[in-house]
Amino acid sequence: MSKHKQAAAPKPLDLDLRPGQSIELLKELHILTRDGKLNQDSRRKLKQVYHLFQFIEKLLKELPASEQGPTLADHGAGKSYLGFIIYDLFFKALGQGSIYGIETRSELVDSSKALAQHLGFERMKFLNLSVAESAQSDALPDQIDVVTALHACDTATDDAIAFGLQKKAKFMVLVPCCQAELARALNKNKALNLQRTPLAELWRHPLHTREMGSQLTNVLRCLYLEAMGYQVTVTELVGWEHSMKNELILAKYTGQKKRSAAERLSALLEEFGLQELADERFKVAA
Protein backbone atom coordinates (compact mmCIF):
# COMPACT_ATOMS: atom_id res chain seq x y z
CA MET A 1 0.00 0.00 0.00
CA SER A 2 1.33 3.44 -0.92
CA LYS A 3 2.43 5.48 2.03
CA HIS A 4 0.88 8.50 0.30
CA LYS A 5 -2.57 6.94 0.14
CA GLN A 6 -5.00 9.04 2.16
CA ALA A 7 -7.04 7.52 4.94
CA ALA A 8 -10.76 7.23 4.34
CA ALA A 9 -12.81 10.14 5.61
CA PRO A 10 -14.65 9.46 8.85
CA LYS A 11 -18.22 8.30 8.32
CA PRO A 12 -21.02 10.36 9.87
CA LEU A 13 -21.98 7.35 11.98
CA ASP A 14 -18.47 7.21 13.42
CA LEU A 15 -18.76 10.82 14.51
CA ASP A 16 -22.33 10.61 15.86
CA LEU A 17 -23.39 13.31 13.41
CA ARG A 18 -26.87 14.04 12.12
CA PRO A 19 -27.78 13.55 8.44
CA GLY A 20 -27.03 16.71 6.47
CA GLN A 21 -25.03 18.28 9.28
CA SER A 22 -22.37 20.74 8.16
CA ILE A 23 -18.89 19.25 8.56
CA GLU A 24 -17.44 22.69 7.75
CA LEU A 25 -19.33 24.21 10.70
CA LEU A 26 -17.96 21.60 13.11
CA LYS A 27 -14.45 22.30 11.86
CA GLU A 28 -14.92 26.06 12.28
CA LEU A 29 -16.17 25.47 15.83
CA HIS A 30 -13.08 23.29 16.42
CA ILE A 31 -15.26 20.31 17.30
CA LEU A 32 -13.70 18.51 14.35
CA THR A 33 -10.05 18.81 13.37
CA ARG A 34 -9.18 20.04 9.86
CA ASP A 35 -8.89 16.44 8.68
CA GLY A 36 -12.30 15.56 10.10
CA LYS A 37 -11.20 13.82 13.30
CA LEU A 38 -12.99 14.02 16.63
CA ASN A 39 -11.04 13.83 19.89
CA GLN A 40 -12.53 12.74 23.20
CA ASP A 41 -13.02 16.27 24.56
CA SER A 42 -14.77 17.36 21.39
CA ARG A 43 -16.95 14.24 21.42
CA ARG A 44 -18.03 15.12 24.96
CA LYS A 45 -18.79 18.73 23.99
CA LEU A 46 -20.76 17.59 20.95
CA LYS A 47 -22.70 15.10 23.09
CA GLN A 48 -23.65 17.86 25.53
CA VAL A 49 -24.81 20.21 22.76
CA TYR A 50 -26.81 17.40 21.11
CA HIS A 51 -28.42 16.53 24.43
CA LEU A 52 -29.63 20.12 24.88
CA PHE A 53 -30.62 20.38 21.22
CA GLN A 54 -32.96 17.40 21.64
CA PHE A 55 -34.92 19.33 24.25
CA ILE A 56 -35.00 22.51 22.16
CA GLU A 57 -35.90 20.74 18.91
CA LYS A 58 -38.97 19.26 20.58
CA LEU A 59 -40.07 22.70 21.75
CA LEU A 60 -39.50 24.27 18.34
CA LYS A 61 -41.71 21.61 16.77
CA GLU A 62 -44.49 22.47 19.22
CA LEU A 63 -44.62 26.09 18.06
CA PRO A 64 -47.58 26.99 15.83
CA ALA A 65 -46.76 27.78 12.23
CA SER A 66 -46.24 31.46 11.47
CA GLU A 67 -45.36 33.58 8.44
CA GLN A 68 -41.96 34.65 9.80
CA GLY A 69 -41.06 31.33 11.41
CA PRO A 70 -39.77 30.71 14.93
CA THR A 71 -37.55 33.13 16.82
CA LEU A 72 -34.95 32.10 19.39
CA ALA A 73 -32.76 34.27 21.63
CA ASP A 74 -29.63 32.65 23.09
CA HIS A 75 -28.33 34.63 26.07
CA GLY A 76 -24.69 34.46 27.09
CA ALA A 77 -24.06 32.90 23.70
CA GLY A 78 -20.24 32.79 24.00
CA LYS A 79 -18.91 31.26 20.79
CA SER A 80 -22.50 30.36 19.86
CA TYR A 81 -21.93 26.61 19.69
CA LEU A 82 -25.56 26.03 20.60
CA GLY A 83 -26.98 28.65 18.23
CA PHE A 84 -24.99 27.40 15.25
CA ILE A 85 -25.94 23.77 15.90
CA ILE A 86 -29.64 24.66 16.26
CA TYR A 87 -29.55 26.68 13.04
CA ASP A 88 -27.69 23.95 11.16
CA LEU A 89 -29.96 21.12 12.32
CA PHE A 90 -33.33 22.89 12.38
CA PHE A 91 -33.56 26.45 11.02
CA LYS A 92 -31.49 25.81 7.87
CA ALA A 93 -33.85 23.19 6.44
CA LEU A 94 -36.93 25.06 7.69
CA GLY A 95 -36.05 28.04 5.49
CA GLN A 96 -37.49 30.60 7.89
CA GLY A 97 -37.09 31.89 11.43
CA SER A 98 -34.24 33.70 13.16
CA ILE A 99 -31.73 33.10 15.94
CA TYR A 100 -30.35 35.97 18.03
CA GLY A 101 -27.06 35.37 19.85
CA ILE A 102 -26.60 37.81 22.74
CA GLU A 103 -23.09 38.14 24.17
CA THR A 104 -21.14 40.84 26.05
CA ARG A 105 -17.70 39.99 24.63
CA SER A 106 -17.37 41.94 21.39
CA GLU A 107 -14.62 39.72 19.94
CA LEU A 108 -16.90 36.67 20.19
CA VAL A 109 -19.77 38.57 18.60
CA ASP A 110 -17.52 39.63 15.71
CA SER A 111 -16.19 36.10 15.13
CA SER A 112 -19.73 34.65 15.22
CA LYS A 113 -20.92 37.23 12.70
CA ALA A 114 -18.03 36.36 10.38
CA LEU A 115 -18.71 32.63 10.67
CA ALA A 116 -22.43 33.01 10.00
CA GLN A 117 -21.66 35.06 6.89
CA HIS A 118 -19.07 32.52 5.74
CA LEU A 119 -21.53 29.63 6.09
CA GLY A 120 -24.48 31.52 4.61
CA PHE A 121 -26.48 31.37 7.84
CA GLU A 122 -28.17 34.66 6.99
CA ARG A 123 -30.92 34.40 9.62
CA MET A 124 -28.45 34.34 12.51
CA LYS A 125 -27.91 37.71 14.18
CA PHE A 126 -25.40 38.52 16.92
CA LEU A 127 -25.70 41.40 19.37
CA ASN A 128 -23.01 42.83 21.63
CA LEU A 129 -25.31 43.38 24.62
CA SER A 130 -25.86 42.20 28.16
CA VAL A 131 -28.99 40.18 28.86
CA ALA A 132 -30.55 43.17 30.64
CA GLU A 133 -29.67 45.56 27.78
CA SER A 134 -31.14 43.22 25.17
CA ALA A 135 -34.62 43.64 26.67
CA GLN A 136 -34.54 47.31 25.60
CA SER A 137 -32.84 46.82 22.22
CA ASP A 138 -34.66 47.65 18.98
CA ALA A 139 -32.53 45.01 17.25
CA LEU A 140 -34.79 42.30 18.68
CA PRO A 141 -38.45 41.75 17.83
CA ASP A 142 -41.19 42.42 20.37
CA GLN A 143 -41.94 38.72 20.68
CA ILE A 144 -39.46 35.84 21.00
CA ASP A 145 -40.69 32.25 20.91
CA VAL A 146 -37.83 30.47 22.68
CA VAL A 147 -35.35 31.93 25.18
CA THR A 148 -32.22 29.96 26.09
CA ALA A 149 -29.56 30.76 28.69
CA LEU A 150 -26.85 28.12 28.96
CA HIS A 151 -24.62 28.68 32.02
CA ALA A 152 -25.57 32.35 32.29
CA CYS A 153 -23.73 33.38 35.46
CA ASP A 154 -25.36 34.61 38.66
CA THR A 155 -28.18 37.09 37.97
CA ALA A 156 -27.86 36.79 34.17
CA THR A 157 -30.24 33.82 34.40
CA ASP A 158 -32.76 36.04 36.22
CA ASP A 159 -32.29 38.69 33.54
CA ALA A 160 -33.00 36.01 30.91
CA ILE A 161 -36.21 35.11 32.74
CA ALA A 162 -37.21 38.80 32.85
CA PHE A 163 -36.40 39.04 29.13
CA GLY A 164 -38.56 35.98 28.41
CA LEU A 165 -41.47 37.44 30.37
CA GLN A 166 -41.19 40.76 28.53
CA LYS A 167 -40.95 39.07 25.13
CA LYS A 168 -43.88 36.75 25.92
CA ALA A 169 -41.72 33.68 25.31
CA LYS A 170 -43.58 30.44 24.78
CA PHE A 171 -40.62 28.46 26.11
CA MET A 172 -37.57 29.12 28.28
CA VAL A 173 -34.60 26.74 28.50
CA LEU A 174 -32.28 27.63 31.37
CA VAL A 175 -29.09 26.07 32.74
CA PRO A 176 -28.25 28.27 35.76
CA CYS A 177 -24.68 28.83 36.90
CA CYS A 178 -22.79 30.54 39.75
CA GLN A 179 -25.86 31.62 41.70
CA ALA A 180 -24.18 34.05 44.11
CA GLU A 181 -26.77 36.77 44.70
CA LEU A 182 -28.85 34.79 47.18
CA ALA A 183 -25.76 33.55 49.01
CA ARG A 184 -24.72 37.16 49.54
CA ALA A 185 -28.20 38.02 50.83
CA LEU A 186 -28.22 35.02 53.18
CA ASN A 187 -24.80 35.96 54.52
CA LYS A 188 -25.86 39.57 55.03
CA ASN A 189 -28.52 38.68 57.61
CA LYS A 190 -26.91 35.50 58.96
CA ALA A 191 -26.54 36.59 62.61
CA LEU A 192 -30.13 37.81 62.82
CA ASN A 193 -31.50 34.69 61.19
CA LEU A 194 -29.52 32.39 63.49
CA GLN A 195 -31.39 33.98 66.39
CA ARG A 196 -34.72 33.92 64.56
CA THR A 197 -34.92 30.37 63.19
CA PRO A 198 -33.02 27.06 63.51
CA LEU A 199 -33.29 26.76 59.73
CA ALA A 200 -30.43 29.27 59.53
CA GLU A 201 -28.11 26.40 60.52
CA LEU A 202 -28.50 25.29 56.91
CA TRP A 203 -26.34 28.22 55.81
CA ARG A 204 -24.27 29.03 58.91
CA HIS A 205 -21.01 27.77 57.37
CA PRO A 206 -19.67 29.54 54.25
CA LEU A 207 -19.67 26.38 52.11
CA HIS A 208 -23.26 25.66 53.07
CA THR A 209 -24.20 29.29 52.41
CA ARG A 210 -23.03 28.93 48.82
CA GLU A 211 -24.71 25.57 48.31
CA MET A 212 -27.92 26.63 50.01
CA GLY A 213 -27.99 29.85 48.04
CA SER A 214 -27.61 27.97 44.77
CA GLN A 215 -30.36 25.46 45.56
CA LEU A 216 -32.75 28.07 46.92
CA THR A 217 -32.19 30.38 43.94
CA ASN A 218 -33.41 27.76 41.49
CA VAL A 219 -36.36 26.78 43.68
CA LEU A 220 -37.44 30.44 43.81
CA ARG A 221 -36.97 30.81 40.04
CA CYS A 222 -39.23 27.82 39.39
CA LEU A 223 -41.94 29.14 41.71
CA TYR A 224 -41.67 32.55 40.07
CA LEU A 225 -42.10 31.09 36.60
CA GLU A 226 -45.13 29.08 37.77
CA ALA A 227 -46.61 32.19 39.35
CA MET A 228 -46.15 34.00 36.02
CA GLY A 229 -48.02 31.38 34.00
CA TYR A 230 -45.42 28.76 33.07
CA GLN A 231 -45.41 25.01 33.50
CA VAL A 232 -41.97 24.09 34.83
CA THR A 233 -39.91 20.90 34.54
CA VAL A 234 -36.54 20.45 36.22
CA THR A 235 -34.17 17.76 34.99
CA GLU A 236 -30.49 17.02 34.32
CA LEU A 237 -28.74 18.35 31.25
CA VAL A 238 -26.00 15.71 31.26
CA GLY A 239 -24.59 13.15 33.66
CA TRP A 240 -22.53 14.21 36.67
CA GLU A 241 -19.36 13.04 34.97
CA HIS A 242 -19.55 15.94 32.51
CA SER A 243 -20.46 18.97 34.59
CA MET A 244 -21.52 19.87 38.11
CA LYS A 245 -23.63 22.71 36.68
CA ASN A 246 -26.18 20.49 35.02
CA GLU A 247 -29.61 21.57 36.29
CA LEU A 248 -31.93 22.20 33.36
CA ILE A 249 -35.08 24.26 33.88
CA LEU A 250 -37.67 23.98 31.10
CA ALA A 251 -40.58 26.41 31.21
CA LYS A 252 -43.63 26.27 28.91
CA TYR A 253 -46.11 29.14 28.88
CA THR A 254 -49.68 28.03 29.61
CA GLY A 255 -51.13 31.32 30.85
CA GLN A 256 -52.30 29.65 34.07
CA LYS A 257 -50.72 31.71 36.82
CA LYS A 258 -50.51 29.61 39.97
CA ARG A 259 -51.57 31.52 43.06
CA SER A 260 -50.17 28.76 45.26
CA ALA A 261 -46.74 29.21 43.66
CA ALA A 262 -46.83 32.95 44.35
CA GLU A 263 -47.82 32.29 47.96
CA ARG A 264 -45.05 29.73 48.48
CA LEU A 265 -42.54 32.08 46.84
CA SER A 266 -43.51 34.86 49.25
CA ALA A 267 -43.42 32.48 52.22
CA LEU A 268 -39.95 31.22 51.36
CA LEU A 269 -38.57 34.72 50.92
CA GLU A 270 -39.94 35.62 54.36
CA GLU A 271 -38.73 32.40 56.00
CA PHE A 272 -35.18 32.91 54.76
CA GLY A 273 -35.12 36.65 55.50
CA LEU A 274 -35.01 37.62 51.83
CA GLN A 275 -38.01 39.97 51.62
CA GLU A 276 -35.85 42.58 49.84
CA LEU A 277 -35.80 40.33 46.77
CA ALA A 278 -39.60 40.27 46.54
CA ASP A 279 -39.66 43.54 44.57
CA GLU A 280 -36.14 43.45 43.13
CA ARG A 281 -36.10 39.97 41.65
CA PHE A 282 -39.35 38.06 42.17
CA LYS A 283 -42.10 40.62 41.82
CA VAL A 284 -45.49 38.94 41.52
CA ALA A 285 -48.71 40.90 41.18
CA ALA A 286 -50.97 40.65 44.20
Side-chain angles (χ1 to χ4, degrees):
M1 181 182 296
S2 171
K3 64 180 180 180
H4 298 294
K5 185 175 180 180
Q6 294 183 342
K11 299 177 182 179
L13 184 62
D14 297 334
L15 302 178
D16 301 321
L17 303 186
R18 302 292 186 88
Q21 187 165 6
S22 171
I23 299 296
E24 184 178 7
L25 168 63
L26 296 179
K27 289 181 178 179
E28 292 290 346
L29 294 178
H30 304 294
I31 291 176
L32 290 181
T33 62
R34 286 300 170 190
D35 56 357
K37 301 291 180 62
L38 186 72
N39 61 38
Q40 193 59 40
D41 287 341
S42 295
R43 187 181 296 274
R44 186 181 302 113
K45 183 182 295 183
L46 192 59
K47 180 180 178 182
Q48 290 176 356
V49 174
Y50 276 167
H51 189 64
L52 185 55
F53 170 74
Q54 288 175 347
F55 287 104
I56 296 172
E57 180 184 33
K58 182 180 177 181
L59 304 182
L60 288 168
K61 288 180 176 179
E62 288 185 31
L63 293 172
S66 64
E67 185 176 337
Q68 74 277 5
T71 51
L72 182 149
D74 182 25
H75 289 290
K79 296 180 180 179
S80 293
Y81 284 96
L82 179 62
F84 278 113
I85 293 293
I86 293 174
Y87 191 97
D88 188 39
L89 296 182
F90 189 87
F91 282 74
K92 185 172 65 176
L94 189 64
Q96 59 177 185
S98 299
I99 292 180
Y100 298 85
I102 298 163
E103 171 58 46
T104 58
R105 290 166 287 184
S106 59
E107 68 276 11
L108 297 183
V109 173
D110 291 340
S111 62
S112 293
K113 285 180 178 179
L115 179 55
Q117 184 176 12
H118 173 66
L119 295 171
F121 290 5
E122 68 278 359
R123 285 173 284 112
M124 288 194 79
K125 308 176 192 305
F126 301 93
L127 305 173
N128 184 201
L129 298 168
S130 69
V131 182
E133 290 169 344
S134 66
Q136 311 304 323
S137 174
D138 293 334
L140 287 130
D142 293 334
Q143 202 273 325
I144 293 287
D145 294 315
V146 181
V147 173
T148 63
L150 180 61
H151 293 154
C153 276
D154 199 9
T155 59
T157 297
D158 300 293
D159 291 338
I161 291 173
F163 174 93
L165 293 174
Q166 179 184 319
K167 297 294 185 179
K168 301 179 177 61
K170 296 180 176 65
F171 297 102
M172 296 193 215
V173 181
L174 311 167
V175 182
C177 182
C178 310
Q179 301 94 313
E181 181 185 49
L182 224 65
R184 291 191 295 268
L186 287 171
N187 193 60
K188 178 181 176 182
N189 302 314
K190 186 177 294 187
L192 179 62
N193 286 325
L194 279 168
Q195 297 175 11
R196 184 178 61 85
T197 172
L199 279 177
E201 290 294 334
L202 294 173
W203 67 92
R204 178 160 63 93
H205 299 287
L207 177 62
H208 294 161
T209 302
R210 187 171 70 248
E211 293 176 343
M212 189 68 189
S214 178
Q215 177 77 356
L216 184 57
T217 298
N218 289 340
V219 170
L220 294 173
R221 285 166 173 164
C222 291
L223 286 171
Y224 181 53
L225 285 165
E226 289 177 341
M228 300 303 288
Y230 285 81
Q231 176 185 326
V232 176
T233 301
V234 181
T235 186
E236 285 185 323
L237 175 58
V238 292
W240 289 105
E241 72 276 10
H242 295 301
S243 172
M244 293 298 287
K245 301 292 185 181
N246 72 337
E247 184 171 340
L248 173 62
I249 299 174
L250 298 169
K252 175 182 179 179
Y253 186 71
T254 64
Q256 298 178 351
K257 299 183 178 182
K258 292 186 177 180
R259 179 183 296 178
S260 61
E263 291 171 350
R264 288 173 182 266
L265 173 62
S266 178
L268 280 176
L269 289 172
E270 183 176 356
E271 182 65 35
F272 286 90
L274 300 168
Q275 293 93 331
E276 63 191 66
L277 294 179
D279 290 329
E280 295 176 12
R281 188 65 65 191
F282 303 110
K283 189 171 185 178
V284 178

